[in-house]
Amino acid sequence: MSDWNSNIIEEFRENEGQLGGTFEGWNMLLLHHAGAKTGTQRVNPLTYQPVGDSLAIFASKAGDPRNPDWFHNLVANPDTKVEIGTDTIAVTARVAADDERDKIWTKQKELRSQFADYEVSAAGRKIPVIILERR
């Protein structure tokens, strides 16, 4: 997975946030996060959905029954930054409350049908939606 992520990160940065192939036309960002236990700095490419002045990201882990590591890292260390295009933006992460989550999640499934598949394969895990509020 890290080689796959590294290739996407490299393409993202070389092309001012634009990706081809599978992610062509997707809203993509690079999420910076610090390890919950180690503090090690990491970067993950993720799709996002604009929500007012904030951004929503999805802890889908492609439908795995477990949350991704970056989710646990954001819960432990919510003040972070994202790269969108050529901009770096300071954000604070919070897990969306159920009513807010459901509205955003439903829209994401409409925008990208893969997310409906992730929901099915997550084996009953309610995929968290994380709101990134600009600081």
Side-chain angles (χ1 to χ4, degrees):
M1 182 63 97
S2 66
D3 285 342
W4 186 79
N5 280 350
S6 295
N7 290 335
I8 292 174
I9 292 166
E10 182 179 337
E11 181 183 354
F12 182 100
R13 289 179 173 155
E14 286 177 356
N15 296 294
E16 299 179 344
Q18 300 301 309
L19 297 173
T22 303
F23 298 112
E24 186 171 354
W26 288 47
N27 289 331
M28 297 293 291
L29 59 75
L30 299 182
L31 173 71
H32 293 250
H33 54 100
K37 295 178 185 174
T38 66
T40 301
Q41 295 296 311
R42 304 184 192 302
V43 178
N44 283 83
L46 298 170
T47 189
Y48 71 90
Q49 182 188 126
V51 178
D53 291 334
S54 300
L55 308 166
I57 56 174
F58 310 91
S60 64
K61 199 174 181 181
D64 193 276
R66 298 162 301 186
N67 288 327
D69 292 341
W70 64 257
F71 172 77
H72 303 291
N73 293 343
L74 284 183
V75 169
N77 302 299
D79 289 334
T80 191
K81 63 185 176 181
V82 295
E83 295 176 53
I84 298 177
T86 58
D87 296 328
T88 300
I89 302 163
V91 296
T92 299
R94 65 174 175 81
V95 178
D98 284 344
D99 58 336
E100 180 183 30
R101 177 232 178 253
D102 293 344
K103 180 180 175 186
I104 296 166
W105 180 250
T106 297
K107 182 176 180 183
Q108 187 65 17
K109 291 188 296 182
E110 292 168 0
L111 293 170
R112 301 288 175 200
S113 62
Q114 300 90 325
F115 284 81
D117 297 336
Y118 298 161
E119 186 173 51
V120 171
S121 63
R125 173 174 71 92
K126 189 172 188 176
I127 295 172
V129 172
I130 298 83
I131 306 299
L132 303 174
E133 297 174 333
R134 297 170 192 257
R135 289 190 277 138

